[in-house]
Amino acid sequence: MFCYQCEQTSKGEGCQTLGVCGKDETTAALQDLLLQAVKGISIYAHRARQLGAADAQIDAFTIQAIFTTLTNVNFDPERLVELIQQAITTRDAARNLYESASVAAGVVPAELGGAAAWKPAATLDGLLAQAQHALLPVRFLAESKEIADLQELVLYGIKGVAAYAAHALALGAGDPVSFAKIHEVLDFLTHPKPTAEELLGMALAVGELNYRVMEILDHAHTETFGHPQPAKVRLGARKGKAILVSGHDLHDLYALLEQTKGLDIQVYTHGEMLPAHGYPKLKAFENLAGNYGGAWTDQAEEFNEFPGAILMTSNCIQEPRLAYKQRIFTSGMVAWPGVLHIADQDYSPVIAAALAAPGFAEDGSDEEITVGFGHNAVLSVAGTVIDAVKAGAIRRFFLIGGCDGARPGRSYYTELAESIPSDCLIMTLGCGKFRFNKLDFGAIGGLPRLLDIGQCNDTYSALQIALALARAFDCGVNDLPLSLVLSWYEQKAVAVLLTLLHLGVRNIRIGPTLPAFLSPAVLALLQEKFNLMAITTAEADLAAMLA
């Protein structure tokens, strides 16, 4: 295997025997082949769309299959083999769609090879042998490492886009324009001999696409659950039976809350589900008890200690300990061998496990934190913020957020947040917030100094706030007293970064390390054009940002 798609990749170069995430060689190989098959789907789907033909089922399978290959999503070889088989069936449907559209348009359909004609082996051993030809080091030799690195940058961006598109689709917000672009990009990645300039241009196009998809997801969330509002979230447990929901999918949380009404079971959020407490339709459930624990990286200890059932939605699953493996469940595209998967939102097994578990013997502390500062909530008090800036009460804005991870060096984000002067306002989002979101930062200009904007996809909210401030002060985003310091771990963070670069945002700091798939030449180009930089120390970076 060879995988370097996440920040924690081995030695900062690539995992070659076992993924730091827990992915073994078999899982890695099957994910590579699934992507090969999905590219074949897109080759036909892209050409069919050029002739005016599309199929919603083909689109849905494509984004779900791509999402499956995101870091910490699917570790189950059996399910991956099934998905490869489904991909070939879907590719056949896409080919028929293309050929029918060609006939209708009076053109001769092209004979397509490569991923469009690839045939998976009939056995697992055969599939693993095929995967050896798809390894990145093979492409490093065939195409040059710089070109292969850029292709992976584009692909990882599309993986992030697909994750957000899948979340939106689960809420009924499918977007044919976005699906068309995803197919176009995957088709492009099969073209021979692309140039570095073409690939970089496509990477920025993926950033533009991600902005659109994040906007669609934002609308899907707010139309379904209401606009987030500032809300206090209890951190201590309540006595009684309990279910913990982790991941990102708010629709899964909503379905579980509906199914547990009146059952005397308390439902807690974990990780990136914390922002759910700001949405009025979710907050209205009396059985939504609070938040338990922190970021996904702490799940082994936290899940072990949690005395109830656990539902893992979307990505961020780690290998379950035996102590809780029989009471953890997956949904959506998440899978782990031996863990029961809920495919139809019937959470009866989760509820049964919660009732069988001891639950909390007594109430915990009354400690609370505040969430719910989405763009609608913040912009409703924009006048107060603008007046505070003009009066000198707010000197600077900092956005510190993104993905958390386990690699040493992430204490930087805690140190930075703690060191920011009291006349500066801090915005945060993603699971990186757990490095400092329980600290007391006080208030500024009538607002809490720490504004929790939401999940990683709520970068869209942060951008709306920044764009509104830029309009209010009649300047560009880069001219605002605003510093962006991002932590990254997986491919959604890559998509977000590409969005920021597409919008021309400069002076972004990223860490704790730079992506292994950014070659020195590409990194130099990004530094020259956008002044993208790696974090150094909290003290030095803060001094530079305040200068």
Side-chain angles (χ1 to χ4, degrees):
M1 67 176 285
F2 185 92
C3 181
Y4 62 176
Q5 69 175 4
C6 84
E7 191 273 332
Q8 291 182 183
T9 192
S10 180
K11 300 178 182 179
E13 298 174 355
C15 297
Q16 301 186 54
T17 55
L18 178 69
V20 174
C21 65
K23 179 168 60 177
D24 61 20
E25 291 183 280
T26 298
T27 301
L30 294 174
Q31 288 183 358
D32 288 344
L33 292 181
L34 178 58
L35 287 170
Q36 171 86 345
V38 170
K39 288 176 182 176
I41 295 171
S42 290
I43 288 173
Y44 287 116
H46 174 56
R47 285 161 176 75
R49 257 192 166 82
Q50 290 178 315
L51 297 170
D55 184 289
Q57 290 183 325
I58 291 173
D59 295 338
F61 177 82
T62 298
I63 64 169
Q64 291 164 355
I66 300 169
F67 188 10
T68 295
T69 69
L70 205 80
T71 299
N72 290 94
V73 175
N74 191 328
F75 295 81
D76 190 340
E78 288 187 13
R79 283 195 65 197
L80 289 168
V81 170
E82 291 174 2
L83 284 166
I84 290 171
Q85 294 167 346
Q86 291 175 33
I88 297 305
T89 300
T90 304
R91 188 188 66 189
D92 290 343
R95 184 187 65 241
N96 291 337
L97 182 70
Y98 164 60
E99 291 176 349
S100 297
S102 296
V103 171
V107 298
V108 178
E111 288 291 333
L112 301 168
W118 175 72
K119 294 181 180 180
T123 65
L124 178 59
D125 286 342
L127 288 170
L128 298 181
Q130 286 180 317
Q132 295 303 307
H133 301 288
L135 288 175
L136 266 170
V138 175
R139 286 169 45 207
F140 291 161
L141 294 173
E143 301 169 355
S144 89
K145 188 174 186 303
E146 181 181 350
I147 293 299
D149 284 342
L150 278 168
Q151 289 172 325
E152 294 303 291
L153 172 63
V154 173
L155 177 62
Y156 300 158
I158 280 293
K159 287 189 179 191
V161 171
Y164 293 146
H167 295 323
L169 187 61
L171 293 169
D175 177 41
V177 174
S178 299
F179 298 151
K181 190 64 179 182
I182 289 171
H183 288 306
E184 178 189 341
V185 174
L186 291 175
D187 172 72
F188 168 80
L189 288 175
T190 68
H191 293 182
K193 300 184 185 304
T195 66
E197 290 75 16
E198 289 172 335
L199 286 162
L200 187 57
M202 186 59 78
L204 295 179
V206 170
E208 180 179 18
L209 169 64
N210 188 57
Y211 184 83
R212 178 186 179 93
V213 171
M214 288 194 300
E215 180 180 23
I216 291 166
L217 180 55
D218 176 80
H219 289 168
H221 279 159
T222 57
E223 289 171 5
T224 305
F225 305 114
H227 280 283
Q229 300 171 357
K232 298 286 188 181
V233 182
R234 181 184 174 91
L235 299 181
R238 295 192 184 278
K239 182 179 178 179
K241 304 295 185 179
I243 296 174
L244 186 64
V245 184
S246 192
H248 302 75
D249 284 315
L250 299 184
H251 76 295
D252 282 334
L253 175 62
Y254 179 82
L256 180 65
L257 288 166
E258 281 281 1
Q259 292 172 38
T260 51
K261 281 195 303 188
L263 297 181
D264 199 24
I265 297 175
Q266 303 294 326
V267 177
Y268 299 84
T269 57
H270 177 270
E272 285 255 52
M273 296 300 283
L274 169 62
H277 295 270
Y279 288 92
K281 195 170 181 178
L282 296 172
K283 183 70 173 176
F285 283 94
E286 293 182 0
N287 52 330
L288 183 60
N291 188 78
Y292 177 91
W296 69 273
T297 52
D298 300 322
Q299 68 184 257
E301 291 291 338
E302 292 171 351
F303 291 2
N304 189 60
E305 295 172 0
F306 187 77
I310 304 154
L311 176 64
M312 178 60 74
T313 75
S314 66
N315 57 316
C316 298
I317 193 171
Q318 294 177 306
E319 181 176 6
R321 292 184 180 180
L322 290 176
Y324 62 83
K325 192 171 184 179
Q326 297 309 307
R327 54 186 175 87
I328 187 172
F329 304 83
T330 60
S331 64
M333 302 313 298
V334 187
W336 193 283
V339 171
L340 183 62
H341 185 74
I342 309 296
D344 55 3
Q345 286 196 319
D346 178 358
Y347 295 117
S348 300
V350 183
I351 294 169
L355 293 173
F360 288 102
E362 58 186 13
D363 286 349
S365 74
D366 294 327
E367 183 183 0
E368 295 178 324
I369 56 175
T370 304
V371 301
F373 291 97
H375 59 90
N376 191 67
V378 174
L379 294 182
S380 69
V381 293
T384 301
V385 175
I386 292 166
D387 288 344
V389 173
K390 291 180 176 178
I394 297 178
R395 179 177 20 157
R396 192 166 191 84
F397 301 88
F398 286 82
L399 175 61
I400 309 175
C403 308
D404 199 16
R407 184 193 290 271
R410 289 184 180 265
S411 59
Y412 165 95
Y413 297 95
T414 310
E415 295 168 9
L416 177 63
E418 290 179 314
S419 302
I420 290 174
S422 60
D423 59 353
C424 298
L425 190 146
I426 305 169
M427 298 181 289
T428 190
L429 49 77
C431 60
K433 77 184 74 169
F434 286 101
R435 293 279 168 173
F436 51 82
N437 71 332
K438 295 173 185 176
L439 302 176
D440 183 4
F441 289 93
I444 181 173
L447 292 170
R449 277 190 63 229
L450 180 67
L451 303 182
D452 186 343
I453 296 174
Q455 297 179 323
C456 56
N457 53 276
D458 289 311
T459 299
Y460 175 79
S461 255
L463 285 168
Q464 299 317 297
I465 295 168
L467 290 169
L469 289 173
R471 288 192 295 270
F473 289 107
D474 193 23
C475 66
V477 170
N478 291 319
D479 301 314
L480 289 170
L482 169 66
S483 296
L484 280 71
V485 187
L486 307 182
S487 56
W488 84 282
Y489 174 69
E490 40 89 321
Q491 297 76 60
K492 284 183 286 185
V494 176
V496 167
L497 176 62
L498 292 177
T499 294
L500 294 171
L501 298 182
H502 154 71
L503 293 172
V505 179
R506 294 176 51 81
N507 306 317
I508 302 168
R509 286 174 167 81
I510 186 171
T513 61
L514 292 173
F517 49 83
L518 288 184
S519 68
V522 173
L523 183 58
L525 183 61
L526 295 177
Q527 289 172 332
E528 178 184 356
K529 188 170 183 179
F530 301 103
N531 199 30
L532 180 69
M533 62 192 94
I535 61 171
T536 58
T537 67
E539 181 180 7
D541 287 350
L542 181 59
M545 288 184 281
L546 291 173

